[in-house]
Amino acid sequence: MHTTTEPSILYFGTPVVLITTRNEDGTTNVAPMSSSWFLGWGCMIGLNSGSQTTLNLLRERECVLNLPSVEQAYAPNRLARLTGRYPLTADKVAMGYRYEKDKLGAAGLTDMRSDVVKPPRIVECPIQLEAVVQATHRFGGFEPERAYNTGTSDDPLVLAVELKILRVHAEESLLVPGKKNHIDPDKWKPLLMSFAQYYGLAPDRIVPSRLAEIPEEMYRPYEDMSKRPIA
Ligand SMILES: Cc1cc2nc3c(=O)[nH]c(=O)nc-3n(C[C@H](O)[C@H](O)[C@H](O)COP(=O)(O)O)c2cc1C
């Protein structure tokens, strides 16, 4: 039997991402987020305009999406309710956030150089995606409370930021042996957030997948990867 319900949030379970961006002074900001989905080598992320990450991304147009596995659940938890933005926006003050300049240090994370973008990758994350901003869209305008927000610090709005992935780094142990371009879904253990709690995937495949009968190569967005745009 179903019943109607009006949850405050509709976060049914998506991967956690630790997004690194460059602050104006050249230092690194890192923030946990989980409103993201991928299509081809594109990714759409949902960000509050009151975050330092959003300011950095709109200014520098570059980021790294670092994907923690279940082993790194400590990291988003340590970063929760910290912001690299000062002064804080009113909604963050109300939610008990505090300013932290050294977010990497606070989370116990290590940075390493990226190949094609300025923000660094996070060593501890088994998958790291270097990306640039393709487009930004205002999101959530259908909600009357947000429709007329201006995006100022006391009036934040939500932006959908479309990213183009330029380079993918994966821990070698996650690859199918002998197949350099295939990440083994049996080995990749993403950290998921569902209704603000952390989960992993069930240990085993549920049913044999008919979708997986399509060769993965058929989805490759560029037939010749060496000809793909690099910026
Ligand atoms: C697990 C987790 C997931 C989150 N997902 C999002 C998200 O998808 N979008 C968003 O704007 N904020 C999200 N947040 C909140 C941001 O981390 C928060 O706005 C933070 O202030 C961003 O840091 P910054 O201000 O230094 O950029 C999430 C927080 C946690 C802990």
Side-chain angles (χ1 to χ4, degrees), residues 12-23:
F12 293 108
T14 46
V16 175
V17 177
L18 300 178
I19 180 169
T20 40
T21 52
R22 244 168 62 112
N23 294 317

Side-chain angles (χ1 to χ4, degrees), residues 11-73:
Y11 299 157
F12 293 108
T14 46
V16 175
V17 177
L18 300 178
I19 180 169
T20 40
T21 52
R22 244 168 62 112
N23 294 317
E24 216 159 354
D25 63 2
T27 58
T28 300
N29 192 52
V30 55
M33 51 146 303
S34 60
S35 297
S36 71
W37 51 266
F38 293 84
L39 201 55
W41 275 44
C43 180
M44 188 69 98
I45 60 174
L47 286 178
N48 186 295
S49 68
S51 299
Q52 185 62 31
T53 299
T54 313
L55 298 179
N56 290 348
L57 206 47
L58 295 179
R59 187 184 61 253
E60 308 257 328
R61 320 286 294 176
E62 294 184 335
C63 66
V64 181
L65 304 176
N66 302 275
L67 307 190
S69 79
V70 287
E71 310 278 329
Q72 291 89 40

Side-chain angles (χ1 to χ4, degrees), residues 132-182:
V132 288
V133 173
Q134 280 279 89
T136 53
H137 313 266
R138 197 184 164 124
F139 183 82
F142 52 86
E143 294 163 325
E145 280 168 25
R146 286 187 181 154
Y148 304 108
N149 283 21
T150 54
T152 57
S153 67
D154 284 333
D155 207 12
L157 48 82
V158 176
L159 292 177
V161 182
E162 195 182 333
L163 301 171
K164 180 168 68 179
I165 309 296
L166 298 182
R167 188 152 299 190
V168 177
H169 305 266
E171 271 218 10
E172 280 178 25
S173 60
L174 295 177
L175 301 178
V176 178
K179 286 183 136 190
K180 188 182 179 310
N181 293 321
H182 290 260

Side-chain angles (χ1 to χ4, degrees), residues 107-148:
L109 295 168
T110 324
D111 58 348
M112 68 191 289
R113 278 182 77 88
S114 294
D115 286 352
V116 292
V117 298
K118 286 182 222 76
R121 298 180 273 153
I122 293 177
V123 173
E124 288 80 0
C125 290
I127 296 183
Q128 306 146 339
L129 311 169
E130 299 185 36
V132 288
V133 173
Q134 280 279 89
T136 53
H137 313 266
R138 197 184 164 124
F139 183 82
F142 52 86
E143 294 163 325
E145 280 168 25
R146 286 187 181 154
Y148 304 108

